[in-house]
Amino acid sequence: ELKVEQNPLFLSMQEGKNYTIYCNYSTTSDRLYWYRQDPGKSLESLFVLLSNGAVKQEGRLMASLDTKARLSTLHITAAVHDLSATYFCAVDDNQGGKLIFGQGTELSVKP
Amino acid sequence: NAGVTQTPKFQVLKTGQSMTLQCAQDMNHEYMSWYRQDPGMGLRLIHYSVGAGITDQGEVPNGYNVSRSTTEDFPLRLLSAAPSQTSVYFCASSYSFTGLIETQYFGPGTRLLVL
């Protein structure tokens, strides 16, 4: 059974600092997804990582995937307040349609 | 292009009542899914569909039914509501290429309270 774990679950950062959110998963998977959710809102897709070694960047966020280690990272560079949100990773369990989500990382960026 | 729409936005039910949460998408996506979101537990997959006429169970299917008679619509039925089904429900859709899911687009959510 696929399990997905994120850490940390809560992260308080200062503006301008760098940090990394980790997403570990327990069984082989071909792709991994990152989403953002603002309080009281729906989810927005950030990245779809398709293969080992995949790296994608959008603004201050960069995501990478190591399928051998079953690990994805979401790196935040020079955080700004607008990045405050909850970030979820999700993993395809290779059974033709099941996405399993991590618990989410609640990020708060303070001036 | 409305994307993924869900109705109602908010619903209060009494224990034992039944209801249907509606989900529709206008992007011709093959894949559609339903999740519930509870505090501290992320999103959990209830049911999903890889095309019209095809549905399957997710992580937490008990107490819910789905059907997919058209590509556009994927309703979620609560058979006999229980307080444990109080949650926020999200519907999502995406293209599915060779069985692998592409970028998922989420609806705005339905907040359900069961008394």
Side-chain angles (χ1 to χ4, degrees):
Chain A
E1 181 188 347
L2 172 62
K3 293 196 184 303
V4 181
E5 291 190 353
Q6 289 181 235
N7 70 84
L9 299 183
F10 298 94
L11 179 54
S12 181
M13 297 177 63
Q14 279 191 311
E15 280 192 331
K17 299 291 188 183
N18 303 334
Y19 210 81
T20 300
I21 299 171
Y22 298 88
C23 176
N24 293 272
Y25 53 99
S26 60
T27 64
T28 301
S29 175
D30 290 329
R31 55 183 56 189
L32 188 140
Y33 311 78
W34 283 97
Y35 296 91
R36 168 182 171 144
Q37 185 179 37
D38 293 313
K41 303 290 187 183
S42 185
L43 281 81
E44 172 191 359
S45 178
L46 294 174
F47 303 109
V48 181
L49 301 172
L50 304 179
S51 60
N52 188 41
V55 177
K56 289 195 174 179
Q57 183 162 6
E58 179 75 31
R60 301 174 187 273
L61 301 177
M62 184 173 71
S64 65
L65 178 61
D66 181 345
T67 57
K68 292 185 173 60
R70 297 177 185 163
L71 171 69
S72 178
T73 60
L74 181 66
H75 187 72
I76 302 153
T77 301
V80 293
H81 178 69
D82 284 352
L83 290 179
S84 296
T86 298
Y87 293 85
F88 292 95
C89 65
V91 180
D92 189 320
D93 79 344
N94 282 6
Q95 292 187 23
K98 280 188 180 176
L99 254 61
I100 306 299
F101 276 73
Q103 313 97 306
T105 296
E106 186 177 332
L107 173 66
S108 174
V109 181
K110 301 185 186 307
Chain B
N1 192 337
V4 180
T5 58
Q6 291 182 237
T7 56
K9 285 188 169 53
F10 181 71
Q11 183 73 46
V12 179
L13 289 179
K14 294 182 180 176
T15 296
Q17 287 185 314
S18 62
M19 79 160 294
T20 299
L21 308 185
Q22 301 291 345
C23 174
Q25 52 93 8
D26 61 359
M27 297 173 281
N28 202 31
H29 287 163
E30 305 92 344
Y31 180 87
M32 296 186 74
S33 57
W34 276 102
Y35 297 89
R36 59 177 290 174
Q37 183 173 30
D38 302 295
M41 299 189 73
L43 275 76
R44 291 182 292 170
L45 182 65
I46 305 172
H47 286 284
Y48 64 98
S49 169
V50 298
I54 306 169
T55 64
D56 208 343
Q57 296 182 349
E59 300 171 87
V60 289
N62 292 343
Y64 307 95
N65 272 357
V66 292
S67 60
R68 183 101 180 265
S69 56
T70 67
T71 299
E72 294 78 19
D73 300 298
F74 190 44
L76 178 72
R77 279 182 284 278
L78 278 70
L79 308 172
S80 177
S84 62
Q85 293 179 305
T86 293
S87 188
V88 180
Y89 292 84
F90 288 102
C91 177
S93 74
S94 78
Y95 288 113
S96 173
F97 183 68
T98 63
L100 295 176
I101 302 162
E102 304 295 326
T103 299
Q104 279 203 102
Y105 296 85
F106 281 79
T110 294
R111 294 183 179 274
L112 177 67
L113 174 62
V114 183
L115 302 174

